[in-house]
Amino acid sequence: MSLTDTLSPELVEGIIQQHEEPAWLASERRAAWRTFEALPWPTNRDEAWRYTQLERFSLAGLELVTAPRDRAVSERITMRITDSDAEGALVYKGGEAIYRDSKLKEAGVIFTDLRTALKEHEALVRAHLYSVVNATQSKYAALSAALWQNGTFLFVPKNTEVKLPLGAFHTADAGGLTAPRTLIVLEPNAHATFIDEYTSDEFGERLFASGSVEIILQDGAKLRYVSLQNWSRTVAHVSRIRAHLERNSRLESLTVSLGADAARAEVECVMAGPGSESEMLGLYFADKGQHFNQYTLQHHAADHAHSDLLFKGALRDASTAVYSGLIQVDEGAQKTDAYQTNRNLLLDAASEAVSIPQLEIGANDVRCSHGSTVSPVPEDQRFYLMSRGLRPEVAEHVLVTGFLHEVTSRVTLPKVAEYVERVVQAKLGVPGVDEKL
């Protein structure tokens, strides 16, 4: 992969001028572009990318998407907003916010697009933007830092609870490069639920989506965060989700990969404060040659912190999946309690999964464990179900649903769990389930 004439520093200057951005942000963008140019493209010699099919994440020939072809909100998105029971919703297409709705009643809560936040709450945005995900972390993170055009800003003040979910829905109607961004800040003892969803109808052109999500949880804050990726099949998706947890804060995250041609989810959580907790759930189901890549980091930087990770995936139709995860325990992070599990179910002999769980422990009073499995469907189980009168496709649906239930049963948002199960059913060809979910 190489830089092409379609991406240049002039794009950065164009964004700065178009939106009349403040000097500090312009400086950050220019620095990010310089970092992007300086960093090498990842190769299969890099441990974090060893088994990734890098050719499927190429930017060759893609131009930056600067506007949607139209500002219509598709029926697909409208249905998802309704089904999610969101208290507030934002819809993005082609780098623009095309729909807003908010029923928020809690005083001091800010839920808006980043462009509006920069105008109305610049000091807050400046204090936190790029503090958790920045250009120095990877080639794609640098690209996102330099070229993002819009995104979501959620700020919840101390001792405030937003009871119903808030949602951002990212969609597309044209090919090119887009870089959505999310910034979530919860002050001490604040509570919220946020859903980032990526979905689109088929539009027949290649799209590369390079997203970044920054989460800051201050002392005692609690967040439920969902990243749900169900792009159409001409999309390549890279998302970097990184959270910073302070004392006694808690993050419950769910990362779902169902759509796109190829998708890489980088999910990182830094337990920076004593007593912080992170539950990291992941679910993926690949078919028709899809390639899903997951990289996770549980970084224990403080003592008495807890993290529990469970990622499960099913594959069929010559699809591939890669999971690489690291539990990193710093020298002073005593009394760490950390778990990491990845399990893969292969529905045919042509599909392949690679799982690489890892530990890096610098403290001597910890409890850490990790494990992974890759296995085909047990034929005795398939035979048993079919001997009871189930057709082969129904038997497979029962097996996959049961396998993934360990994840969906821990999702505390019933509407999200129901939607994921419907998409899985559609991919399995269950009669009566809409394939366009």
Side-chain angles (χ1 to χ4, degrees):
M1 295 183 295
S2 61
L3 189 61
T4 70
D5 293 338
T6 57
L7 300 178
S8 66
E10 284 71 33
L11 289 174
V12 177
E13 298 303 322
I15 295 171
I16 293 169
Q17 294 171 17
Q18 177 186 355
H19 299 285
E20 299 178 344
E21 293 185 339
W24 66 268
L25 180 53
S27 177
E28 290 279 7
R29 283 194 187 274
R30 291 170 181 137
W33 180 262
R34 290 192 296 270
T35 301
F36 171 71
E37 289 187 309
L39 287 174
W41 287 105
T43 72
N44 292 127
R45 293 182 179 179
D46 302 320
E47 183 61 34
W49 297 84
R50 183 189 297 182
Y51 299 99
T52 305
Q53 296 176 6
L54 289 166
E55 68 279 1
R56 299 174 80 159
F57 296 97
S58 171
L59 298 177
L62 297 180
E63 297 183 357
L64 183 66
V65 179
T66 57
R69 286 177 175 166
D70 64 64
R71 298 177 62 85
V73 179
S74 70
E75 182 181 357
R76 181 193 192 100
I77 298 292
T78 303
M79 290 176 60
R80 290 296 305 125
I81 293 173
T82 302
D83 288 347
S84 67
D85 286 340
E87 189 169 11
L90 292 165
V91 179
Y92 301 93
K93 185 196 291 187
E96 292 186 10
I98 63 170
Y99 173 89
R100 321 162 182 264
D101 180 48
S102 178
K103 306 177 185 67
L104 281 169
K105 299 180 179 62
E106 293 82 4
V109 177
I110 302 169
F111 173 64
T112 187
D113 66 286
L114 267 173
R115 285 287 160 212
T116 301
L118 278 167
K119 294 176 182 177
E120 299 178 358
H121 310 282
E122 183 182 341
L124 265 179
V125 176
R126 182 176 184 178
H128 300 288
L129 189 66
Y130 298 129
S131 65
V132 178
V133 178
N134 58 61
T136 64
Q137 293 166 0
S138 74
K139 185 82 168 180
Y140 290 115
L143 179 71
S144 176
L147 295 180
W148 70 268
Q149 296 193 75
N150 210 339
T152 305
F153 179 59
L154 172 62
F155 172 82
V156 184
K158 63 181 181 180
N159 303 320
T160 301
E161 180 179 2
V162 181
K163 294 184 178 180
L164 294 178
L166 301 171
F169 298 84
H170 308 268
T171 189
D173 59 6
L177 168 68
T178 186
R181 198 170 190 96
T182 299
L183 175 60
I184 300 172
V185 181
L186 270 59
E187 288 195 323
N189 300 312
H191 296 190
T193 299
F194 188 85
I195 302 170
D196 254 333
E197 185 163 332
Y198 307 85
T199 186
S200 60
D201 296 313
E202 296 290 344
F203 51 87
E205 301 171 17
R206 186 167 182 272
L207 177 75
F208 188 101
S210 179
S212 296
V213 179
E214 300 182 89
I215 298 172
I216 299 102
L217 303 185
Q218 297 180 5
D219 294 357
K222 292 180 174 59
L223 175 70
R224 292 186 297 179
Y225 174 80
V226 177
S227 176
L228 205 167
Q229 185 277 113
N230 193 25
W231 284 117
S232 56
R233 294 303 178 96
T234 57
V235 179
H237 178 84
V238 174
S239 178
R240 188 173 186 85
I241 304 164
R242 198 163 192 264
H244 177 91
L245 276 58
E246 298 181 8
R247 180 182 295 270
N248 296 328
S249 61
R250 176 174 173 82
L251 173 66
E252 298 175 15
S253 67
L254 170 65
T255 307
V256 179
S257 295
L258 297 169
D261 170 63
R264 176 179 171 90
E266 301 175 354
V267 189
E268 302 183 3
C269 190
V270 181
M271 276 64 71
S276 53
E277 299 180 30
S278 174
E279 180 184 57
M280 302 165 70
L281 300 177
L283 182 151
Y284 48 96
F285 180 29
D287 68 355
K288 299 177 182 177
Q290 288 176 296
H291 175 71
F292 290 156
N293 189 292
Q294 286 80 212
Y295 169 81
T296 67
L297 173 65
Q298 299 155 260
H299 183 182
H300 286 260
D303 57 281
H304 292 84
H306 171 75
S307 68
D308 186 9
L309 180 146
L310 174 64
F311 271 55
K312 299 190 78 171
L315 299 89
R316 63 184 290 188
D317 307 330
S319 297
T320 54
V322 181
Y323 172 81
S324 178
L326 172 65
I327 296 176
Q328 179 181 350
V329 182
D330 288 353
E331 186 173 345
Q334 303 292 359
K335 301 296 183 181
T336 285
D337 192 19
Y339 304 91
Q340 180 191 97
T341 304
N342 173 236
R343 305 200 186 284
N344 299 274
L345 183 67
L346 305 181
L347 300 177
D348 58 39
S351 296
E352 181 181 3
V354 176
S355 185
I356 312 171
Q358 303 165 81
L359 296 175
E360 185 180 298
I361 300 175
N364 59 11
D365 187 5
V366 303
R367 182 166 55 183
C368 297
S369 71
H370 68 316
S372 69
T373 59
V374 178
S375 64
V377 173
E379 285 304 319
D380 59 337
Q381 295 182 17
R382 192 196 298 266
F383 176 79
Y384 175 83
L385 292 172
M386 292 175 63
S387 70
R388 294 303 185 269
L390 273 64
R391 297 189 305 275
E393 64 272 16
V394 177
E396 188 167 86
H397 165 243
V398 172
L399 290 167
V400 172
T401 302
F403 176 75
L404 298 177
H405 181 71
E406 187 179 3
V407 175
T408 57
S409 65
R410 289 171 61 175
V411 177
T412 55
L413 296 168
K415 292 286 188 178
V416 171
E418 290 171 11
Y419 175 69
V420 170
E421 287 195 8
R422 291 204 308 273
V423 175
V424 169
Q425 290 172 1
K427 296 184 78 168
L428 286 168
V430 175
V433 180
D434 188 356
E435 294 183 359
K436 296 181 179 180
L437 285 169

